[in-house]
Amino acid sequence: MASPIPSLAQLVSEASSLYKNMFADDTPQIAVCAPGRVNLIGEHTDYNNGYVLPMALPLVTVVVGSPSINGDTVVVTASEHADEPRRVDLSLPKEGSTSSPCWANYVRGVIHHYRARPVPGFRAVVVSSVPLGGGLSSSASLEVAFYTFLQQLRPDDGDKLAKALACQQAEHTHAGVPCGIMDQFVSALGTEGHALLIDCRSLEAIPVPLADPQVVILITNSNVKHSLASSEYTVRRRQCEDAAAILGKSSLRDATMKDLEGSRAKLDDVTYRRARHVIAEINRTVKAAEALKNGAYQEFGQLMVESHNSLRDLYEVSCKELDELVSAAMEVDGVFGSRMTGGGFGGCTVTLLKATVVDGTIQHVQERYHGSPTFFVTTPSAGARALQLS
């Protein structure tokens, strides 16, 4: 059975109740949300200036709050998975290492890079339905939600692309993650009923319709996250930069398979395989967007499987749990394609399938998977926005 996705009204109510409990002398005046995302195809291409094809999810981070009464800046998270403390006074000098608590560094980063100054004091409560560590971009959802919250306190010029870039910088400088632009981009600019084909070099986006009621997206959370994830991301990024330099390109976006094969003798085997994945994945993503636009779901699904196999064999960021989930899903008639999504080493798979076979697919995967997966049935949702408080 797929997990129910909490409604916005439920999340706002939960956040508002916690706010009133934490700040008995105050009531929230502002509510905003920003979605997580699932990437349909185009993995580890964004920091190589390539193409990605994500969509915004109905899984969101909600922030409610108000301007501060006494000038302090206090943030509270309701997530039971967040590291302690869950209440942080950002108006006090920062203590300890940059990783304690980790979640608050994303907020600090957004405040630091916010484009309208000065940022006033505020009180805020965070509630999220985006699974942490699942590869659905809970961090970008938090960043973009907080930026949207600050926009209600002190409006900037409303430029959504600049907003995404500021949130990306927040993750670079305050979380220490050299991420690409995809996650923040789709959280800020997501479009209901559409995936977004994003050119990560030009930062142009083309909406790709995905509103066929006979087709849905099934996200399967493996509920495992291997410790390699964060360190190996940095390693992969450096390997891609090394490959591009050897090929004489500014990034692998500009390289072709002919370029790669012509310089194979200059590359060690690992660097060659990393580059081969990226170059092929960029091409796959463009083909996949065209297939999706034309309703060619079988072709799209085949490209998803090719993507997963490449991530498993060439980029080496999959794991036995993700491979098991993909293999099980592909055994079901009516499933078009399945692949790991996100950085890898655990997290989620994404599957394109007929709406009529969702229940059967979930049952089959549960029987085959040696773990306790969580399932979400989703469609493309809107990006970050302000909400009305009742």
Side-chain angles (χ1 to χ4, degrees), residues 36-323:
R37 64 94 187 96
V38 66
N39 192 25
L40 301 178
I41 193 168
E43 217 66 73
H44 292 278
T45 54
D46 59 343
Y47 54 83
N48 287 290
N49 286 336
Y51 289 93
V52 292
L53 187 64
M55 69 181 211
L57 294 172
L59 298 161
V60 299
T61 297
V62 165
V63 179
V64 305
S66 297
S68 177
I69 292 175
N70 56 15
D72 59 355
T73 296
V74 179
V75 182
V76 180
T77 177
S79 173
E80 62 185 35
H81 301 293
D83 52 339
E84 299 288 351
R86 294 191 198 165
R87 173 178 170 139
V88 177
D89 189 339
L90 298 177
S91 53
L92 295 176
K94 190 175 177 184
E95 298 180 1
S97 72
T98 57
S99 61
S100 181
C102 178
W103 66 267
N105 289 321
Y106 296 101
V107 180
R108 290 187 178 100
V110 171
I111 293 171
H112 179 81
H113 291 283
Y114 187 65
R115 299 171 57 251
R117 316 299 299 183
V119 176
F122 60 85
R123 294 170 168 182
V125 167
V126 183
V127 172
S128 185
S129 59
V130 187
L132 298 183
L136 301 181
S137 203
S138 58
S139 58
S141 176
L142 173 60
E143 292 155 4
V144 175
F146 245 98
Y147 196 104
T148 307
F149 176 76
L150 296 181
Q151 287 178 305
Q152 314 313 305
L153 286 172
R154 182 177 178 83
D156 65 354
D157 59 10
D159 186 319
K160 291 184 179 181
L161 178 55
K163 172 180 179 174
L165 290 167
C167 291
Q168 180 195 27
Q169 284 301 307
E171 188 145 343
H172 287 185
T173 60
H174 285 67
V177 179
C179 62
I181 189 59
M182 170 178 63
D183 298 351
Q184 294 84 1
F185 192 113
V186 71
S187 186
L189 288 91
T191 303
E192 187 172 2
H194 295 76
L196 287 181
L197 178 64
I198 303 170
D199 182 334
C200 296
R201 180 167 60 187
S202 69
L203 299 182
E204 295 176 316
I206 300 172
V208 181
L210 181 52
D212 185 339
Q214 299 181 60
V215 174
V216 296
I217 296 294
L218 175 66
I219 297 171
T220 306
N221 192 344
S222 68
N223 288 315
V224 299
K225 193 68 176 177
H226 296 288
S227 58
L228 286 170
S230 58
S231 60
E232 288 298 313
Y233 178 92
T234 304
V235 170
R236 294 301 184 282
R237 183 160 185 159
R238 186 176 66 248
Q239 289 166 336
C240 291
E241 291 167 352
D242 291 346
I246 292 169
L247 296 177
K249 308 294 183 181
S250 59
S251 73
L252 289 177
R253 162 68 178 273
D254 298 314
T256 64
M257 283 298 180
K258 183 178 180 181
D259 295 329
L260 181 63
E261 296 303 329
S263 298
R264 185 166 186 175
K266 302 177 185 177
L267 299 162
D268 63 72
D269 181 61
V270 171
T271 306
Y272 167 80
R273 286 187 284 116
R274 304 297 186 253
R276 185 174 179 85
H277 162 74
V278 171
I279 294 168
E281 185 80 349
I282 290 171
N283 293 330
R284 269 192 294 269
T285 304
V286 174
K287 291 179 182 177
E290 188 66 22
L292 193 61
K293 185 174 74 172
N294 294 330
Y297 301 128
Q298 293 286 1
E299 180 185 352
F300 188 91
Q302 180 58 39
L303 291 165
M304 292 178 78
V305 173
E306 289 176 12
S307 172
H308 180 81
N309 293 343
S310 180
L311 288 159
R312 180 192 64 205
D313 300 334
L314 298 179
Y315 220 64
E316 296 180 286
V317 291
S318 189
C319 60
K320 65 178 183 179
E321 294 90 352
L322 295 174
D323 295 342

